[in-house]
Amino acid sequence: MKLAVVGGGSTYTPELIDGFARLRDTLPVTELVLVDPAADRLELVGGLARRIFAKQDHEGKIVTTSDVDAGVEGADAVLLQLRVGGQAARNQDETWPLECGCVGQETTGAGGLAKALRTVPVVLDIAERVRRTNPDAWIIDFTNPVGIVTRALLQAGHKAVGLCNVAIGFQRKFAQLLDVSPAEIHLDHVGLNHLTWETAVRLGGPEGENVLPRLLAEHGDTLADDLHLPRLVMDRFGVVPSYYLRYFYAHDEVVRELGTKPSRAAEVAAMEKELLEMYGDPALDEKPALLAKRGGAFYSEAAVDLAASLLGGGGSPYQVVNTYNNGTLPFLADDAVIEVQAAVGPNGATPLPVAPLDPLYAGLISHVTAYEELALEAALRGGRDRVFKALLAHPLVGQYEYAEGLTDRLIAHNREHLAWA
């Protein structure tokens, strides 16, 4: 089995490599190709990847290349984890929106739109290369904003599924709090990428006992601290929101906080420098503890599980993924991309039925879906007016004056990545 990772020079990659090594019975990889244009990073990451495989007696071959066509040729699955513009572009995404009094964040709001505009054309180009070399390959997208990128891939006819680590993070957290195996936890997870709620936590599978009320009663303070939201938000509605909902539920508070500290991108850039120095140590043969602070917790387990199921192996029958709505949420179009539990197998992902949603959640999902449709249109066709419309439609912007100022700033900071600008 051959897998390719585009963006393989990422400091995330050793997390993924560790998962491939530990879970080789689930996903028997014989060849893993790391693809990245940054040759210096790729050499460091590739060296550590080989040492991790060797330490864990994994017989798979690890290849590094900057040639996308050669890297994806013959691959059974291609994982996308790229960041167009690097941490420098992310730093801009997280700072210039604050000048207009709006949240600066790399996956939602104005910063998230900037990332989508930079990313979608690049991802579609890579996907076309995959289709030319191996049209049967699955594309697993971990590249943010996952919902918009996955929708772009699916609309272009690619065999694609989007993946995020938020759900598996909740699964592991809930399992720890309940002192059970993660495999026993099934989430009623519903919404869009980075806009989701856990409406039930079931033991044993989709029909299992809902223990969410118990979790909230016994561990509500712990969960609230993790989410940086008041406990009353969960107690009042009986759900656990993704921590990304804080940008919506406490927007002004978050803006004030972001204006008083360095950006997350600046923190990550410093962390990446230290990680790359570690990766260059020939004695290092395991992922360093520092990597846990980089983000992407449990990404490797989620990626292995999804790839194994898509490729006919031993993956879990139900997984939280990003895929077409196809009637699952009746208030959305079929071609909207949602993030829900799905039955996953060689034919792709089929969402499980979702109980009717309270208007409190359905309304915000509809609002952000409208934004995502406009954002994808702007990413595919360009133009200042399309960027403005997408910003105006976003619930974290929503005012004409803000949208005007943000449009000008977005284009100014991303001109080198926007062919139409």
Side-chain angles (χ1 to χ4, degrees), residues 289-313:
L290 178 62
L291 187 55
K293 298 180 180 180
R294 170 67 180 79
F298 308 115
Y299 162 41
S300 60
E301 284 89 342
V304 167
D305 204 15
L306 179 54
S309 293
L310 292 173
L311 298 176

Side-chain angles (χ1 to χ4, degrees), residues 259-324:
T260 62
K261 60 182 182 180
S263 69
R264 174 62 178 166
E267 295 176 355
V268 170
M271 202 179 304
E272 286 195 333
K273 182 179 179 181
E274 187 175 353
L275 283 169
L276 289 170
E277 290 175 356
M278 291 180 177
Y279 295 172
D281 180 357
L284 182 67
D285 57 6
E286 61 185 12
K287 63 177 184 179
L290 178 62
L291 187 55
K293 298 180 180 180
R294 170 67 180 79
F298 308 115
Y299 162 41
S300 60
E301 284 89 342
V304 167
D305 204 15
L306 179 54
S309 293
L310 292 173
L311 298 176
S316 304
Y318 305 117
Q319 298 171 45
V320 173
V321 297
N322 285 259
T323 191
Y324 270 151

Side-chain angles (χ1 to χ4, degrees), residues 150-407:
T150 301
R151 186 168 184 171
L153 288 165
L154 290 173
Q155 286 188 356
H158 298 290
K159 293 175 60 177
V161 180
L163 180 64
C164 181
N165 68 320
V166 167
I168 195 172
F170 274 130
Q171 181 201 43
R172 296 304 203 269
K173 181 68 176 181
F174 296 155
Q176 177 189 31
L177 293 173
L178 294 168
D179 195 24
V180 300
S181 164
E184 296 181 61
I185 298 293
H186 179 94
L187 304 176
D188 283 11
H189 175 106
V190 61
L192 311 176
N193 180 240
H194 290 183
L195 192 86
T196 52
W197 297 263
E198 311 308 322
T199 59
V201 178
R202 303 185 184 278
L203 288 181
E207 304 302 323
E209 175 193 1
N210 179 19
V211 295
L212 180 56
R214 173 182 157 195
L215 272 167
L216 293 176
E218 297 178 3
H219 304 287
D221 289 340
T222 297
L223 294 170
D225 288 344
D226 287 349
L227 298 172
H228 301 287
L229 283 169
R231 178 172 176 169
L232 66 86
V233 173
M234 293 181 293
D235 288 342
R236 185 167 293 169
F237 305 119
V239 302
V240 177
S242 160
Y243 50 84
Y244 286 92
L245 265 297
R246 186 167 185 258
Y247 296 115
F248 296 82
Y249 292 164
H251 176 273
D252 293 353
E253 178 183 343
V254 172
V255 169
R256 288 192 295 270
E257 287 179 5
L258 293 175
T260 62
K261 60 182 182 180
S263 69
R264 174 62 178 166
E267 295 176 355
V268 170
M271 202 179 304
E272 286 195 333
K273 182 179 179 181
E274 187 175 353
L275 283 169
L276 289 170
E277 290 175 356
M278 291 180 177
Y279 295 172
D281 180 357
L284 182 67
D285 57 6
E286 61 185 12
K287 63 177 184 179
L290 178 62
L291 187 55
K293 298 180 180 180
R294 170 67 180 79
F298 308 115
Y299 162 41
S300 60
E301 284 89 342
V304 167
D305 204 15
L306 179 54
S309 293
L310 292 173
L311 298 176
S316 304
Y318 305 117
Q319 298 171 45
V320 173
V321 297
N322 285 259
T323 191
Y324 270 151
N325 176 49
N326 282 337
T328 307
L329 301 181
F331 52 88
L332 296 183
D334 285 348
D335 65 351
V337 165
I338 59 174
E339 185 172 289
V340 293
Q341 284 279 5
V344 183
N347 292 324
T350 302
L352 300 184
V354 172
L357 285 181
D358 188 294
L360 178 66
Y361 316 122
L364 187 54
I365 290 170
S366 298
H367 196 163
V368 176
T369 297
Y371 151 76
E372 289 191 347
E373 182 175 347
L374 292 168
L376 181 54
E377 183 75 3
L380 293 174
R381 301 180 62 191
R384 187 187 190 282
D385 287 349
R386 294 188 181 92
V387 173
F388 171 80
K389 286 173 65 177
L391 285 167
L392 188 62
H394 202 295
L396 295 182
V397 180
Q399 296 186 52
Y400 183 91
E401 183 178 355
Y402 288 171
E404 281 286 353
L406 290 167
T407 298

